[in-house]
Amino acid sequence: MIIVMQKGATSRQISHVIARVEQLGRQVHLSEGEERTVIGVLGEGRPLDEEQFGRIEGVEQIVPIVSPFKLASRDFRPQDTLVALNGIKAGGKRVVIIAGPCAVENREQLLETAYAVKEAGATVLRGGAFKPRTSPYSFQGLGFEGLKLLAEAREATGLLVVTEVISPETVPLVSTYADILQVGARNMQNYALLHAVGEAHKPVILKRGMMCTMKELLMSAEYILSHGNDRLILCERGIRTFEPYTRNTLDINAVPMLQELTHLPVFVDPSHGTGKWSLVGPIARAALAAGADGLMIEVHPNPEEALSDGVQSLKLERFARLMGELRAVAGAVGRSI
Ligand code: PEP
Ligand code: MN
């Protein structure tokens, strides 16, 4: 449940409520808004006596939360969460466009892509340095070298940088280079990693596992939120179905469904969602029309020679053309890019 404190409740009143909650063996998540403080009651056990809590001095309202995810739910925070990304805000009117190669391959490839996507209007550069590949024989990424190249591309272009983190031990290292940490589909239920990024002081993009339900995605989000990091963005990237023509089936339902269930921004990755460059444009447009707060698109100067995901990567000029179309779609649904 959530305990909404009255406007102007004193810190003594707030501490008193927290102490009562903790006496009952529950944890507290404090959310101090501009107007009032909201106390989230977490943990399991016997239901708390709502009436009794409602009578405590300084308490305005008790809101029960029935969903298994609490901090991620709209009941906990009815208004949209805006995730600050160094000046840009995810979840607001302006749609965030993330673009770049699947993997950082070398300096030239990364810088050429970075300048091109910046010119086309993207605000965040993506690029994997640590790649979680299905085969151990596939390119695994440049690792530390890749992180340094990403930082160089940020310096050169002013773009923010997002890159994947695949183990809890490397969260501090990746955090010193990246502006945003990506938790990939394969790690959506790596709870040690969720714990670690929950304690990191960087925004996180959590991608939906390819075999995971929306509820499971929101439970994973709950791990990150409950460890203290509320700068969290969700990303639909397609799920596995019986259809083999496409790599995954992008679950467009997830955009408005998640937005009903959670206050967190919802992004879409049409590259992994389709696995085919020719479908990326149509699905990117559909995602914006459905209300996505951002897109993550794979772009490569020479997709034929890409070391990973070339078949789903857009060439630089194609990405620039798509950006023009996306601006029109965004405008049609009351957003901008
Ligand atoms: C990626 O973004 O390159 C990636 C590996 O994505 P996902 O985790 O969605 O497969
Ligand atoms: Mn990829």
Side-chain angles (χ1 to χ4, degrees), residues 102 126 131 164 182 184-186 207 237 272 296 298:
C102 177
R126 61 150 290 145
K131 294 301 300 176
E164 184 163 352
Q182 175 173 328
R186 289 159 192 77
K207 297 185 90 176
R237 48 75 76 206
H272 294 85
M296 176 182 272
E298 287 185 337

Side-chain angles (χ1 to χ4, degrees), residues 86 110-111 114-115 118 123 125 147-162 174-180 202:
N86 293 3
L110 187 66
L111 287 173
Y115 283 118
K118 160 103 184 181
T123 42
L125 176 68
L147 295 179
K148 290 199 284 194
L149 291 173
L150 284 165
E152 186 182 339
R154 175 187 37 220
E155 288 305 308
T157 60
L159 289 165
L160 302 181
V161 158
V162 58
V174 177
S175 299
T176 57
Y177 287 89
D179 300 293
I180 307 166
K202 289 283 169 174

Side-chain angles (χ1 to χ4, degrees), residues 44-215:
E44 292 188 334
R46 229 164 13 99
L48 302 188
D49 186 338
E50 289 174 20
E51 250 187 67
Q52 196 187 11
F53 271 92
R55 286 196 300 269
I56 300 177
E57 223 178 288
V59 172
E60 178 167 293
Q61 201 194 349
I62 303 292
V63 184
I65 303 183
V66 285
S67 65
F69 46 89
K70 311 283 178 203
L71 304 174
S73 80
R74 276 266 180 216
D75 297 329
F76 179 69
R77 189 178 291 161
Q79 71 276 26
D80 292 341
T81 284
L82 299 182
V83 175
L85 310 168
N86 293 3
I88 321 170
K89 283 199 172 82
K93 199 165 175 295
R94 187 164 166 214
V95 170
V96 175
I97 306 292
I98 303 172
C102 177
V104 179
E105 297 170 8
N106 57 60
R107 196 157 177 272
E108 294 65 40
Q109 170 244 18
L110 187 66
L111 287 173
E112 186 182 351
T113 312
Y115 283 118
V117 300
K118 160 103 184 181
E119 172 74 21
T123 42
V124 184
L125 176 68
R126 61 150 290 145
F130 297 97
K131 294 301 300 176
R133 303 304 298 278
T134 303
S135 164
Y137 308 118
S138 301
F139 176 58
Q140 304 286 309
L142 296 182
F144 185 42
E145 200 49 44
L147 295 179
K148 290 199 284 194
L149 291 173
L150 284 165
E152 186 182 339
R154 175 187 37 220
E155 288 305 308
T157 60
L159 289 165
L160 302 181
V161 158
V162 58
T163 196
E164 184 163 352
V165 58
I166 59 174
S167 63
E169 312 79 70
T170 51
V171 169
L173 172 73
V174 177
S175 299
T176 57
Y177 287 89
D179 300 293
I180 307 166
L181 306 175
Q182 175 173 328
V183 174
R186 289 159 192 77
N187 274 313
M188 190 203 89
Q189 289 181 309
N190 178 341
Y191 299 113
L193 181 61
L194 299 178
H195 183 151
V197 299
E199 287 177 349
H201 298 284
K202 289 283 169 174
V204 174
I205 292 187
L206 175 64
K207 297 185 90 176
R208 179 179 180 182
M210 60 195 82
M211 315 266 252
C212 293
T213 64
M214 291 183 231
K215 192 200 263 183

